[in-house]
Amino acid sequence: MGIIKERFKQKADATAEDIKQLLKEHGDKKIGEVQLSQIYQGMRGITGLVSETSLLDSEDGIRFRGYSIPELQEKLPKAPGGSEPLPEGLFYLMLVGELPTEEDVSHMSSVLQRRSHVPNHVFQTIEALPITAHPMTQFVVAIMSLQTESLFAKNYAKGMAKKDYWSSCFDDSMDLIARLPRIAAYIYRRKYRGGDHIQPNGLLDWAGNFAHMMGFEDEGFQELMRLYMTIHSDHEGGNVSAHTTHLVGSALADPYLSFAAGMNGLAGPLHGLANQEVIKWIFELREKIGSESPSQEQIENYVKQTLSEGKVVPGYGHAVLRKTDPRFSAQMEFGKKHMPNDPLVNTVWTIYETVPPILSSIAKIKNPWPNVDAHSGALLVHYGMKEYEFYTVLFGVSRALGVLASLCWDRALGFPLERPKSVSTRLVKKWLNGEAEIWGD
Ligand code: HAX
């Protein structure tokens, strides 16, 4: 067994023992109440999931195993000469629960390099799709075709015992994370660079190699990829991509099937696809006014027009957050450091000054502040990645780190099939009339 796998197993066994004790002593404690409105409104605020890898605070934003993004930027190992964290270090932290040393991270990088071979049939499957297919469609289809490699599925078919699920889940998760940059880069080069593919560079870290395979050799872009892959990786368990991966995995669908399901959710415009929508929306604004640098007044009018057409302002609002997303702030800092005079990046900052007061004046909107997607596209465009339909694939490669680390924990802790109870409006009416119990059927 590899060293990372061994450490993970030790931590998971200790946590499983803690949970056993915790439930024995406190299993019947109430942690909240559920209002009728919550079950009709997307289950907001109902605590019903365990997420070991990260927790989201509505004011402070995301913390990965207790560490904020600025803390991770300081504490996680960096690439030689770089100043952004290496995402494989964050993966280690989410998996093992402890900050990795430089040695741990370089070990993780080489393990991922070793596992990164993608079988030919995956590329053939991508090639069978029309080139016009959305990159997220190509991405999900490629992951599904890679499912032929699942050890979990093979071992389950051979009668694997429940106590061994975690091991195959771990191996599949590592393999999948190792292979995703190759697949995503293939899709990028196929769709936007005439199929002129680039071989991996075994000397580079996971995110640096990803940038290289997409054709971006600029050190600034590689640093951006390290930051991007770190901050998009996890947002506790209830967001659509994380929750879907967890739910599908609870049926013992293997990590490939579970992750592909999560990616279908990420491809929704209220979730991960918002990153392409933001840039599309800004490009349309530029075209409309015929300028690269819209004024605050022009942005204000454009936002009001968007709202009057019954559309959402992409990149703003959040189901949990009630402040500026620290993932937005981290990207803003990156922009200030690397490209303070870029007109598109400056427009993102002017939008940041303009939108919150407008959204704040609309009573129903709970959070007028920007989320992660409001900023990412402008940084990518700066380095020449203008093909915004591809942006959600980048998000997806990063999200694998969090949701697959969580899936390993799910199997190691022996979590059961997820199956919440539902109600019908008919039952609700009967309950309100005192004719039925709400938990009846
Ligand atoms: N523009 C216009 N209206 C908005 C809005 C925005 N940015 N944010 C919220 N609202 C509206 C909602 O559509 C909802 O209207 P209805 O009641 O008429 O349906 C109302 O305000 C209440 O919404 P909320 O309670 O404040 O927010 P929700 O938890 O329902 O939704 C969303 C959260 C992120 C989906 C929402 O803010 C939104 O649609 N934002 C724009 C899309 C976006 O940026 N998505 C990415 C989110 C981050 C993420 O997951 N990234 O992957």
Side-chain angles (χ1 to χ4, degrees):
M1 197 189 302
I3 184 85
I4 303 169
K5 194 172 179 181
E6 212 170 289
R7 285 180 196 163
F8 166 73
K9 178 64 174 148
Q10 275 174 10
K11 290 280 177 186
D13 283 350
T15 308
E17 195 48 45
D18 283 350
I19 293 173
K20 211 165 126 190
Q21 281 307 316
L22 214 127
L23 292 181
K24 203 168 141 197
E25 289 169 33
H26 308 287
D28 56 356
K29 283 220 164 81
K30 290 206 167 89
I31 61 163
E33 288 181 344
V34 178
Q35 290 171 357
L36 187 56
S37 59
Q38 287 176 291
I39 60 176
Y40 277 94
Q41 288 164 359
M43 298 189 281
R44 294 292 186 286
I46 300 178
T47 304
L49 290 168
V50 176
S51 163
E52 302 290 359
T53 51
S54 68
L55 266 193
L56 181 59
D57 181 88
S58 61
E59 303 289 315
D60 295 340
I62 189 71
R63 278 185 181 271
F64 301 86
R65 297 271 185 192
Y67 295 101
S68 67
I69 288 172
E71 284 166 350
L72 290 180
Q73 284 174 300
E74 186 204 322
K75 291 181 195 298
L76 283 178
K78 326 266 183 304
S83 56
E84 297 301 339
L86 287 167
E88 46 274 61
L90 176 61
F91 179 54
Y92 181 102
L93 174 68
M94 290 191 285
L95 206 50
V96 178
E98 283 172 9
L99 280 172
T101 62
E102 301 250 350
E103 204 185 340
D104 294 331
V105 174
S106 77
H107 178 61
M108 179 70 89
S109 301
S110 54
V111 168
L112 292 177
Q113 278 285 359
R114 224 175 34 241
R115 289 174 176 251
S116 65
H117 173 73
V118 177
N120 240 339
H121 74 267
V122 174
F123 301 122
Q124 286 162 0
T125 306
I126 296 171
E127 292 295 342
L129 289 168
I131 199 142
T132 50
H134 191 281
M136 277 304 276
T137 307
Q138 300 195 34
F139 189 53
V140 172
V141 168
I143 298 161
M144 292 297 291
S145 74
L146 194 56
Q147 189 267 349
T148 51
E149 310 307 294
S150 172
L151 289 170
F152 189 97
K154 284 190 189 98
N155 289 334
Y156 193 86
K158 283 189 210 150
M160 170 168 60
K162 185 173 180 185
K163 69 172 177 45
D164 297 326
Y165 292 168
W166 75 272
S167 174
S168 300
C169 181
F170 184 99
D171 284 323
D172 275 358
S173 298
M174 294 292 271
D175 286 346
L176 184 48
I177 288 169
R179 291 159 164 169
L180 286 174
R182 187 86 206 275
I183 291 172
Y186 188 93
I187 293 166
Y188 183 75
R189 302 290 301 178
R190 173 187 189 230
K191 192 166 167 80
Y192 305 112
R193 295 292 183 272
D196 179 14
H197 297 290
I198 299 171
Q199 287 307 304
N201 177 347
L203 300 174
L204 285 168
D205 54 286
W206 183 74
N209 191 30
F210 184 24
H212 158 76
M213 287 187 287
M214 287 188 290
F216 295 86
E217 299 300 344
D218 190 305
E219 182 50 36
F221 187 85
Q222 296 194 355
E223 278 287 272
L224 175 60
M225 271 305 100
R226 292 172 188 129
L227 176 67
Y228 190 111
M229 293 292 133
T230 298
I231 63 177
H232 285 78
S233 61
D234 210 27
H235 223 217
E236 73 164 40
N239 68 77
V240 171
S241 50
H243 189 190
T244 307
T245 306
H246 163 80
L247 170 69
V248 174
S250 85
L252 299 185
D254 63 61
Y256 294 85
L257 298 175
S258 306
F259 179 64
M263 289 301 97
N264 282 312
L266 193 76
L270 295 188
H271 190 20
L273 204 80
N275 61 8
Q276 78 163 47
E277 296 302 297
V278 168
I279 283 301
K280 196 171 145 207
W281 183 75
I282 300 177
F283 283 169
E284 279 166 10
L285 162 67
R286 283 173 151 197
E287 206 177 303
K288 188 173 171 220
I289 61 166
S291 161
E292 277 201 339
S293 301
S295 67
Q296 209 160 341
E297 197 189 344
Q298 285 169 320
I299 292 171
E300 204 175 304
N301 290 334
Y302 186 58
V303 170
K304 286 180 179 161
Q305 186 196 325
T306 300
L307 292 169
S308 72
E309 287 167 358
K311 297 189 276 195
V312 295
V313 178
Y316 281 77
H318 200 272
V320 179
L321 280 169
R322 296 294 175 258
K323 285 264 170 76
T324 295
D325 191 335
R327 301 173 299 175
F328 177 91
S329 308
Q331 295 179 88
M332 194 166 168
E333 287 308 312
F334 188 95
K336 282 182 186 162
K337 182 171 164 192
H338 294 272
M339 58 205 70
N341 301 317
D342 182 290
L344 185 61
V345 172
N346 277 273
T347 296
V348 166
W349 298 343
T350 317
I351 292 172
Y352 181 32
E353 284 167 24
T354 315
V355 168
I358 301 175
L359 297 188
S360 294
S361 69
I362 303 171
K364 68 176 183 179
I365 299 180
K366 297 191 190 68
N367 178 35
W369 302 105
N371 58 56
V372 67
D373 301 315
H375 209 310
S376 52
L379 303 178
L380 295 166
V381 171
H382 174 84
Y383 291 108
M385 186 182 269
K386 298 190 176 106
E387 302 88 357
Y388 54 73
E389 280 199 344
F390 187 72
Y391 294 171
T392 312
V393 175
L394 295 178
F395 194 156
V397 174
S398 167
R399 188 46 58 105
L401 301 174
V403 300
L404 292 173
S406 278
L407 200 65
C408 291
W409 275 91
D410 292 349
R411 296 292 74 77
L413 297 175
F415 285 167
L417 177 78
E418 199 167 282
R419 204 331 185 161
K421 182 77 188 82
S422 7
V423 292
S424 63
T425 303
R426 186 172 158 270
L427 175 66
V428 168
K429 284 184 178 167
K430 283 172 90 177
W431 169 66
L432 290 171
N433 287 334
E435 294 162 14
E437 298 289 2
I438 198 71
W439 55 83
D441 57 15

